[in-house]
mmCIF file of all heavy atoms in Angstrom:
data_model
loop_
_atom_site.group_PDB
_atom_site.id
_atom_site.type_symbol
_atom_site.label_atom_id
_atom_site.label_comp_id
_atom_site.label_asym_id
_atom_site.label_seq_id
_atom_site.Cartn_x
_atom_site.Cartn_y
_atom_site.Cartn_z
ATOM 1 N N SER G 1 -13.925 -11.831 4.935
ATOM 2 C CA SER G 1 -13.341 -11.145 6.061
ATOM 3 C C SER G 1 -11.925 -11.761 6.330
ATOM 4 O O SER G 1 -11.761 -12.936 6.095
ATOM 5 C CB SER G 1 -14.121 -11.185 7.314
ATOM 6 O OG SER G 1 -14.331 -12.572 7.718
ATOM 7 N N GLN G 2 -10.975 -11.057 6.870
ATOM 8 C CA GLN G 2 -9.643 -11.563 7.104
ATOM 9 C C GLN G 2 -9.583 -12.149 8.492
ATOM 10 O O GLN G 2 -10.095 -11.549 9.466
ATOM 11 C CB GLN G 2 -8.672 -10.462 6.911
ATOM 12 C CG GLN G 2 -8.436 -10.070 5.422
ATOM 13 C CD GLN G 2 -7.344 -9.004 5.361
ATOM 14 O OE1 GLN G 2 -7.413 -8.004 6.034
ATOM 15 N NE2 GLN G 2 -6.414 -9.198 4.489
ATOM 16 N N GLN G 3 -8.917 -13.304 8.645
ATOM 17 C CA GLN G 3 -8.714 -13.669 10.020
ATOM 18 C C GLN G 3 -7.205 -13.917 10.239
ATOM 19 O O GLN G 3 -6.739 -14.086 11.351
ATOM 20 C CB GLN G 3 -9.540 -14.868 10.348
ATOM 21 C CG GLN G 3 -9.055 -16.230 9.837
ATOM 22 C CD GLN G 3 -9.531 -17.324 10.628
ATOM 23 O OE1 GLN G 3 -9.696 -17.204 11.863
ATOM 24 N NE2 GLN G 3 -9.759 -18.539 10.113
ATOM 25 N N GLY G 4 -6.404 -14.102 9.200
ATOM 26 C CA GLY G 4 -5.071 -14.420 9.311
ATOM 27 C C GLY G 4 -4.206 -13.182 9.461
ATOM 28 O O GLY G 4 -4.468 -12.187 8.893
ATOM 29 N N GLU G 5 -3.125 -13.363 10.301
ATOM 30 C CA GLU G 5 -2.155 -12.264 10.394
ATOM 31 C C GLU G 5 -0.823 -12.906 10.169
ATOM 32 O O GLU G 5 -0.457 -13.795 10.921
ATOM 33 C CB GLU G 5 -2.249 -11.693 11.797
ATOM 34 C CG GLU G 5 -3.547 -10.934 12.169
ATOM 35 C CD GLU G 5 -3.474 -9.492 11.653
ATOM 36 O OE1 GLU G 5 -2.466 -9.028 11.314
ATOM 37 O OE2 GLU G 5 -4.646 -8.984 11.485
ATOM 38 N N GLU G 6 -0.173 -12.347 9.170
ATOM 39 C CA GLU G 6 1.181 -12.833 8.928
ATOM 40 C C GLU G 6 2.155 -11.916 9.488
ATOM 41 O O GLU G 6 2.030 -10.747 9.555
ATOM 42 C CB GLU G 6 1.422 -13.030 7.400
ATOM 43 C CG GLU G 6 0.846 -14.236 6.769
ATOM 44 C CD GLU G 6 -0.287 -13.959 5.957
ATOM 45 O OE1 GLU G 6 -1.011 -12.956 6.278
ATOM 46 O OE2 GLU G 6 -0.563 -14.575 4.905
ATOM 47 N N ASP G 7 3.308 -12.500 9.868
ATOM 48 C CA ASP G 7 4.452 -11.705 10.295
ATOM 49 C C ASP G 7 5.692 -12.395 9.755
ATOM 50 O O ASP G 7 5.769 -13.616 9.771
ATOM 51 C CB ASP G 7 4.486 -11.393 11.746
ATOM 52 C CG ASP G 7 4.951 -12.502 12.609
ATOM 53 O OD1 ASP G 7 6.205 -12.643 12.791
ATOM 54 O OD2 ASP G 7 4.086 -13.279 13.044
ATOM 55 N N PRO G 8 6.700 -11.702 9.360
ATOM 56 C CA PRO G 8 6.689 -10.258 9.294
ATOM 57 C C PRO G 8 5.889 -9.789 8.051
ATOM 58 O O PRO G 8 5.587 -10.576 7.227
ATOM 59 C CB PRO G 8 8.127 -9.858 9.133
ATOM 60 C CG PRO G 8 8.676 -11.051 8.388
ATOM 61 C CD PRO G 8 7.973 -12.254 8.902
ATOM 62 N N GLN G 9 5.586 -8.511 7.962
ATOM 63 C CA GLN G 9 4.910 -7.973 6.856
ATOM 64 C C GLN G 9 5.842 -7.944 5.667
ATOM 65 O O GLN G 9 5.387 -8.066 4.500
ATOM 66 C CB GLN G 9 4.379 -6.547 7.127
ATOM 67 C CG GLN G 9 3.209 -6.508 8.103
ATOM 68 C CD GLN G 9 2.632 -5.117 8.266
ATOM 69 O OE1 GLN G 9 3.158 -4.197 7.739
ATOM 70 N NE2 GLN G 9 1.509 -5.053 8.947
ATOM 71 N N ALA G 10 7.108 -7.727 5.973
ATOM 72 C CA ALA G 10 8.105 -7.713 4.886
ATOM 73 C C ALA G 10 9.307 -8.392 5.345
ATOM 74 O O ALA G 10 9.685 -8.275 6.607
ATOM 75 C CB ALA G 10 8.404 -6.272 4.393
ATOM 76 N N LEU G 11 10.030 -9.142 4.511
ATOM 77 C CA LEU G 11 11.227 -9.825 4.876
ATOM 78 C C LEU G 11 12.215 -9.707 3.716
ATOM 79 O O LEU G 11 11.930 -10.015 2.578
ATOM 80 C CB LEU G 11 10.903 -11.291 5.123
ATOM 81 C CG LEU G 11 11.990 -12.236 5.557
ATOM 82 C CD1 LEU G 11 12.714 -11.801 6.815
ATOM 83 C CD2 LEU G 11 11.498 -13.654 5.666
ATOM 84 N N SER G 12 13.421 -9.269 4.076
ATOM 85 C CA SER G 12 14.477 -9.147 3.052
ATOM 86 C C SER G 12 15.662 -9.952 3.477
ATOM 87 O O SER G 12 16.208 -9.811 4.568
ATOM 88 C CB SER G 12 14.826 -7.608 2.939
ATOM 89 O OG SER G 12 15.848 -7.462 1.913
ATOM 90 N N ILE G 13 16.110 -10.911 2.601
ATOM 91 C CA ILE G 13 17.160 -11.769 2.868
ATOM 92 C C ILE G 13 18.080 -11.935 1.678
ATOM 93 O O ILE G 13 17.773 -11.460 0.571
ATOM 94 C CB ILE G 13 16.705 -13.157 3.279
ATOM 95 C CG1 ILE G 13 15.826 -13.847 2.208
ATOM 96 C CG2 ILE G 13 15.886 -13.108 4.584
ATOM 97 C CD1 ILE G 13 15.417 -15.271 2.482
ATOM 98 N N GLN G 14 19.205 -12.632 1.867
ATOM 99 C CA GLN G 14 20.155 -12.841 0.778
ATOM 100 C C GLN G 14 19.824 -14.257 0.201
ATOM 101 O O GLN G 14 19.386 -15.231 0.954
ATOM 102 C CB GLN G 14 21.571 -12.786 1.282
ATOM 103 C CG GLN G 14 21.977 -11.385 1.837
ATOM 104 C CD GLN G 14 22.119 -10.383 0.728
ATOM 105 O OE1 GLN G 14 22.664 -10.727 -0.344
ATOM 106 N NE2 GLN G 14 21.591 -9.206 0.922
ATOM 107 N N GLU G 15 20.159 -14.500 -0.968
ATOM 108 C CA GLU G 15 20.179 -15.797 -1.610
ATOM 109 C C GLU G 15 20.800 -16.885 -0.809
ATOM 110 O O GLU G 15 21.931 -16.549 -0.268
ATOM 111 C CB GLU G 15 20.632 -15.813 -2.998
ATOM 112 C CG GLU G 15 19.698 -15.612 -4.053
ATOM 113 C CD GLU G 15 20.230 -15.929 -5.459
ATOM 114 O OE1 GLU G 15 21.420 -15.594 -5.704
ATOM 115 O OE2 GLU G 15 19.401 -16.380 -6.366
ATOM 116 N N GLY G 16 20.281 -17.978 -0.605
ATOM 117 C CA GLY G 16 20.889 -19.016 0.137
ATOM 118 C C GLY G 16 20.363 -19.098 1.609
ATOM 119 O O GLY G 16 20.557 -20.145 2.228
ATOM 120 N N GLU G 17 19.943 -17.975 2.083
ATOM 121 C CA GLU G 17 19.399 -17.969 3.464
ATOM 122 C C GLU G 17 18.029 -18.549 3.496
ATOM 123 O O GLU G 17 17.350 -18.746 2.479
ATOM 124 C CB GLU G 17 19.373 -16.501 3.940
ATOM 125 C CG GLU G 17 20.698 -15.857 4.108
ATOM 126 C CD GLU G 17 20.580 -14.460 4.681
ATOM 127 O OE1 GLU G 17 19.512 -13.845 4.511
ATOM 128 O OE2 GLU G 17 21.553 -13.945 5.179
ATOM 129 N N ASN G 18 17.540 -18.902 4.677
ATOM 130 C CA ASN G 18 16.241 -19.476 4.925
ATOM 131 C C ASN G 18 15.298 -18.302 5.189
ATOM 132 O O ASN G 18 15.738 -17.267 5.868
ATOM 133 C CB ASN G 18 16.212 -20.434 6.066
ATOM 134 C CG ASN G 18 17.068 -21.684 5.696
ATOM 135 O OD1 ASN G 18 17.314 -21.972 4.585
ATOM 136 N ND2 ASN G 18 17.329 -22.395 6.773
ATOM 137 N N ALA G 19 14.054 -18.460 4.818
ATOM 138 C CA ALA G 19 13.045 -17.411 5.115
ATOM 139 C C ALA G 19 11.907 -18.096 5.819
ATOM 140 O O ALA G 19 11.373 -19.150 5.447
ATOM 141 C CB ALA G 19 12.479 -16.806 3.754
ATOM 142 N N THR G 20 11.516 -17.541 6.944
ATOM 143 C CA THR G 20 10.475 -18.034 7.800
ATOM 144 C C THR G 20 9.432 -16.997 7.890
ATOM 145 O O THR G 20 9.600 -15.844 8.278
ATOM 146 C CB THR G 20 10.998 -18.384 9.188
ATOM 147 O OG1 THR G 20 11.916 -19.400 9.066
ATOM 148 C CG2 THR G 20 9.842 -18.932 9.990
ATOM 149 N N MET G 21 8.113 -17.437 7.624
ATOM 150 C CA MET G 21 6.973 -16.583 7.727
ATOM 151 C C MET G 21 6.000 -17.218 8.588
ATOM 152 O O MET G 21 5.815 -18.422 8.596
ATOM 153 C CB MET G 21 6.408 -16.300 6.379
ATOM 154 C CG MET G 21 7.216 -15.481 5.494
ATOM 155 S SD MET G 21 6.767 -15.662 3.710
ATOM 156 C CE MET G 21 7.969 -16.886 3.183
ATOM 157 N N ASN G 22 5.309 -16.380 9.362
ATOM 158 C CA ASN G 22 4.340 -16.953 10.366
ATOM 159 C C ASN G 22 2.968 -16.406 10.103
ATOM 160 O O ASN G 22 2.819 -15.363 9.571
ATOM 161 C CB ASN G 22 4.806 -16.502 11.767
ATOM 162 C CG ASN G 22 6.193 -17.013 12.103
ATOM 163 O OD1 ASN G 22 6.411 -18.200 12.205
ATOM 164 N ND2 ASN G 22 7.070 -16.048 12.319
#
Side-chain angles (χ1 to χ4, degrees):
Chain G
S1 61
Q2 289 181 308
Q3 76 154 330
E5 293 280 340
E6 279 106 328
D7 76 88
Q9 291 187 351
L11 180 61
S12 184
I13 59 174
Q14 298 289 318
E15 264 192 327
E17 295 180 339
N18 296 341
T20 300
M21 290 161 267
N22 302 296

